[in-house]
Amino acid sequence: MQNVLTFFKTHRRALTGALLCFFLFAVFAAVWLTHIRGQGDKSSSWAINDQFHSFATIEEKMEQRFSCDRDLLALSLVLAAEDTETPPEGELELILTDSATGEELARSVGDMRYIYNGWDAYYTTLGLDRFVENPGEAVEYTLTLIPHYTGEGRLCVGYEEGGMPAGVSLTVDGEEVDGTVAMLGTQARVGGFLTKFYWVFALGCIAAAGLLYWLYCRRTVPLHRMVFCAVLVLGFAFNVLLPPYAAPDEKYHINQSFTLASTLYDPHLPVAKSHIRDTIRRPSDQDALIQVDETTVFTWQHIAKVIGRPNTDPTFATHTFDEYQVDSSYTLYWISGFGVLIGYWLHLGFAATLYLGRLANLLFFAFLAAWAVKRTPVAKPAFAVAALLPMTLHLAASYSRDSNLLALCFFFSALLLDLAFGPREHIGWKQLVLPVVLAVLIVPSKVVYLPLAGLILLIPAVRLGRFARWIKGGFLALCAVAFLLNSGAAGALVGFTQTSGTAAAGAASLMAQEQAAQEPAAPESDVQSAAQASSDEAAQSAAQTSGAAESASQAADPAEEGAAAEPSASSSAAQPASETAGSASEPAAANSFSTQEDLTCFTLPYILSHPLETAELCIRSVVEEGDHYLSTLVGGTLGYFGLDKPLDLAWGWIILLYGLLALAWLCPEEGGAMPPAARWGTLFIALCCCGLAVLGCISWTPTYYETIYGFQGRYFLPVLPLLLLVRPKALCLAGDCRRGIVLAAALVDIVVLLNVFLAVVAR
């Protein structure tokens, strides 16, 4: 017995790690048994034509020509009995052929007794005996239905009269009918892919937990290296589960990165110059099944299918697409842009190139976040946990500019705290070069974080020498110049302070507003950027556009209310027609300048003249949307907001994430002391950034809105570690638990990833 106890004591860490991995395996196995197994029948369908108001009786044969650019596994038609008292009997034969060559592609035979006997307009799914793979372009098919009746009942098919597009024709019993049958196409069934993908994900998470536990046990591994590995591994998992186009407004950021890469790739294009309404990519860089806001299991399946396909476009070939970018400033897109450029040079396909740009952003964030943890002399756990929050990892592993912005803000804050309170007693000009570069990158990109430049004031004068005042003043002046040189800054200030109260945050001219109203629905920042761009065009200086609203407020990210709906999924043979139509929901009305009410916003003169209304707006926002703000700070809601089935976490996990932040806040400091006055000063600077973020959203809120428009808790993430610097001395934890907090945060992230997986499967 003593030997057994000795063995357990000697190998307690290895046994604890094995127990942790076994526990996670048991959890994943239980989830597979209860939620994943049996989901192989899920199918993805889309409406070839979902409109019908008439029925045609089929005596001998029906032929429908149609065009399709997707794979086909089955077809669904609105079939009904001509007389409900006498249902059709016999076999129904389906033949699918290539209209151009006449080649038979697939066929099937079914029993008409299983067709829904009624006039409630249900779809009946007709399977195909062979998988019809689409070559990647629109193909004209001919669908033939031949009923072999054995009774007196006759079959009817629903169709829409008139308006037939080119290449579409309907023939019933040899007579041409002016119409198109209502028809859905099933493009994919998940089959056994979901189980394989789930277990690859599960084993990857278990391996990640084992790796991080090993790093936790090895005290010789510094904390910042543990953070780097955790961010990299968990960020990659977020990258896989929430693929490109799934992050908030990511499609516009992808357009910006691809455009930048294309201007570097194509020698005939000016570098980093394009119109915000145009996107430049390689000609074949488009895929309707990837370019969706709502991730489904079929998105995973399709990406796994095409990830290895090479690009076949000619070298240096690019194409301009009519798609919005965020704005004309490429400052925070060079990292992802170079990742995309490498994909271009390697002739990788669209899917692989998308992931390469994302991985470049993730590597950049992981490196700077770990460096921030290493450099800061205080609040190391706060920086570490802030970098490991689900919302942070979700943004870091995306094309969003916030990926680079978060990395820069974390490192800039840590660097200045190190210069102010670190071990270095004298600061030379070489130590100031990096903070200057970081400030010049941050300030023009998001002006709401301009107060971070005030951290330079925390550096004791004795460390800077006799020119301390000049150095601090010059640093702040340089930041102010960088802000004012941004072409959108002046427009932002004018828009916010104008007395008319219209189009706050940078609507530059009435012409721009009218043009924005006529444009297709665009993201919030795109509309604002479009207004600035149109104004600049009127002055013949379009090359200097930069999206005034984006620089005026963090809230000027594209609106998340509007998102394209995923093709409908079903596994049943008979489906109500009204439930299976895929549609795209347009962004909310506030996204376009369509009425004078939308133009009248909470500008500074309006706020000063209506203080009670402004206070009521803020209070109502906190009361009605406070839970949303708390949730979106840590990652309780991921992906696009406003979708039919958002990726929301249970509040238990959100509370647990805030508990980890509380532990990081209470964790004792390792080294140098930070005077209380400096802590309060840092907190004031962070609160100024938060206030500007809120004010920017208020300035873009129309006066008839009930709550602040577009505000999310994630806008506080760049200054979150600074908000945790002030705490009562009596609330400090007794022992050092920094490494344990990082491990706990990683384990919570794994559970969050499992929740995300289940939420996607439920779609």
Side-chain angles (χ1 to χ4, degrees), residues 642-659:
L643 299 179
D644 292 337
K645 294 183 178 179
L647 300 177
D648 292 335
L649 297 181
W651 268 97
W653 299 115
I654 297 174
I655 293 173
L656 186 57
L657 289 169
Y658 275 100

Side-chain angles (χ1 to χ4, degrees), residues 145-449:
L145 286 183
I146 305 175
H148 301 283
Y149 297 115
T150 59
E152 296 182 359
R154 291 297 180 263
L155 185 66
C156 294
V157 61
Y159 73 98
E160 178 69 13
E161 297 180 352
M164 291 191 302
V168 174
S169 63
L170 173 62
T171 303
V172 179
D173 297 330
E175 295 184 5
E176 187 168 331
V177 179
D178 182 21
T180 307
V181 298
M183 180 164 47
L184 305 180
T186 299
Q187 64 189 9
R189 285 194 180 92
V190 68
F193 167 81
L194 184 59
T195 292
K196 296 176 183 177
F197 184 73
Y198 175 80
W199 280 111
V200 169
F201 158 73
L203 294 177
C205 288
I206 295 172
L211 171 65
L212 294 175
Y213 179 77
W214 179 76
L215 293 174
Y216 163 78
C217 294
R218 289 182 63 86
R219 299 291 175 176
T220 56
V221 177
L223 181 67
H224 66 275
R225 292 184 182 176
M226 186 177 177
V227 171
F228 176 80
C229 293
V231 169
L232 203 59
V233 172
L234 296 172
F236 181 79
F238 274 96
N239 193 4
V240 172
L241 287 195
L242 295 172
Y245 292 92
D249 319 307
E250 191 174 10
K251 55 187 173 185
Y252 308 107
H253 299 291
I254 288 175
N255 291 345
Q256 194 105 359
S257 298
F258 270 74
T259 298
L260 175 60
S262 297
T263 61
L264 297 170
Y265 179 67
D266 189 342
H268 302 97
L269 296 176
V271 175
K273 291 183 180 179
S274 69
H275 201 285
I276 61 171
R277 295 180 185 85
D278 295 330
T279 294
I280 307 174
R281 297 194 296 266
R282 294 174 299 185
S284 64
D285 282 345
Q286 49 186 330
D287 192 322
L289 299 180
I290 295 178
Q291 296 171 282
V292 292
D293 302 332
E294 188 173 271
T295 302
T296 67
V297 293
F298 304 102
T299 311
W300 296 336
Q301 187 180 40
H302 180 71
I303 290 176
K305 176 183 176 182
V306 303
I307 191 73
R309 291 182 181 176
N311 181 269
T312 57
D313 294 323
T315 304
F316 305 129
T318 57
H319 179 75
T320 300
F321 296 86
D322 186 18
E323 299 175 10
Y324 271 87
Q325 301 178 54
V326 178
D327 59 30
S328 59
S329 174
Y330 293 94
T331 304
L332 296 182
Y333 295 97
W334 285 94
I335 302 299
S336 58
F338 275 118
V340 173
L341 184 61
I342 293 174
Y344 282 3
W345 287 337
L346 297 177
H347 293 280
L348 300 180
F350 185 40
T353 303
L354 282 169
Y355 276 103
L356 209 55
R358 270 184 156 209
L359 290 175
N361 268 354
L362 178 60
L363 279 169
F364 181 75
F365 175 83
F367 176 73
L368 287 191
W371 200 357
V373 173
K374 180 181 180 181
R375 288 296 300 265
T376 180
V378 294
K380 288 182 182 290
F383 278 92
V385 174
L388 288 171
L389 289 175
M391 179 59 77
T392 308
L393 293 174
H394 181 38
L395 294 173
S398 74
Y399 277 88
S400 174
R401 75 172 76 191
D402 290 340
S403 175
N404 288 182
L405 182 70
L406 285 167
L408 293 173
C409 287
F410 284 171
F411 184 53
F412 178 76
S413 301
L415 190 60
L416 286 184
L417 289 175
D418 181 47
L419 294 179
F421 309 108
R424 186 182 295 272
E425 295 295 335
H426 177 72
I427 300 174
W429 67 270
K430 293 182 180 179
Q431 286 74 44
L432 294 175
V433 172
L434 191 53
V436 169
V437 172
L438 294 174
V440 171
L441 290 175
I442 294 172
V443 170
S445 301
K446 287 290 178 70
V447 69
V448 296
Y449 303 117

Side-chain angles (χ1 to χ4, degrees), residues 387-706:
L388 288 171
L389 289 175
M391 179 59 77
T392 308
L393 293 174
H394 181 38
L395 294 173
S398 74
Y399 277 88
S400 174
R401 75 172 76 191
D402 290 340
S403 175
N404 288 182
L405 182 70
L406 285 167
L408 293 173
C409 287
F410 284 171
F411 184 53
F412 178 76
S413 301
L415 190 60
L416 286 184
L417 289 175
D418 181 47
L419 294 179
F421 309 108
R424 186 182 295 272
E425 295 295 335
H426 177 72
I427 300 174
W429 67 270
K430 293 182 180 179
Q431 286 74 44
L432 294 175
V433 172
L434 191 53
V436 169
V437 172
L438 294 174
V440 171
L441 290 175
I442 294 172
V443 170
S445 301
K446 287 290 178 70
V447 69
V448 296
Y449 303 117
L450 175 62
L452 283 178
L455 292 174
I456 191 73
L457 301 176
L458 299 178
I459 301 178
V462 66
R463 296 194 174 197
L464 294 173
R466 57 177 180 169
F467 297 109
R469 291 185 179 180
W470 288 99
I471 292 174
K472 294 180 180 180
F475 182 86
L476 295 176
L478 182 62
C479 293
V481 170
F483 163 64
L484 294 175
L485 287 180
N486 177 20
S487 58
L493 292 176
V494 171
F496 181 55
T497 58
Q498 61 185 344
T499 58
S500 62
T502 59
S509 67
L510 181 61
M511 178 190 71
Q513 297 164 8
E514 293 173 348
Q515 182 173 1
Q518 296 171 359
E519 289 286 339
E524 215 174 297
S525 61
D526 292 348
V527 174
Q528 300 162 17
S529 301
Q532 178 69 19
S534 300
S535 174
D536 292 342
E537 286 174 348
Q540 296 183 354
S541 58
Q544 299 178 359
T545 62
S546 68
E550 185 65 40
S551 63
S553 161
Q554 174 101 12
D557 281 338
E560 283 113 355
E561 283 83 354
E566 186 72 14
S568 58
S570 68
S571 58
S572 60
Q575 312 154 38
S578 61
E579 296 178 1
T580 54
S583 63
S585 59
E586 293 296 329
N591 287 355
S592 62
F593 298 114
S594 56
T595 66
Q596 185 60 34
E597 283 186 324
D598 293 327
L599 292 171
T600 306
C601 302
F602 282 86
T603 56
L604 181 60
Y606 188 91
I607 292 173
L608 295 177
S609 60
H610 300 79
L612 293 180
E613 291 184 15
T614 306
E616 184 181 0
L617 174 75
C618 296
I619 295 172
R620 189 185 298 112
S621 299
V622 172
V623 173
E624 297 183 7
E625 302 291 340
D627 57 341
H628 174 70
Y629 302 152
L630 290 173
S631 173
T632 52
L633 172 62
V634 297
T637 299
L638 302 174
Y640 270 84
F641 303 141
L643 299 179
D644 292 337
K645 294 183 178 179
L647 300 177
D648 292 335
L649 297 181
W651 268 97
W653 299 115
I654 297 174
I655 293 173
L656 186 57
L657 289 169
Y658 275 100
L660 289 173
L661 284 174
L663 289 176
W665 179 54
L666 298 175
C667 194
E669 304 288 357
E670 179 187 27
M674 186 175 179
R679 292 180 182 271
W680 285 103
T682 305
L683 177 62
F684 175 75
I685 290 172
L687 291 176
C688 287
C689 294
C690 297
L692 283 179
V694 175
L695 183 62
C697 291
I698 292 175
S699 72
W700 193 244
T701 302
T703 54
Y704 69 90
Y705 267 40
E706 296 291 325

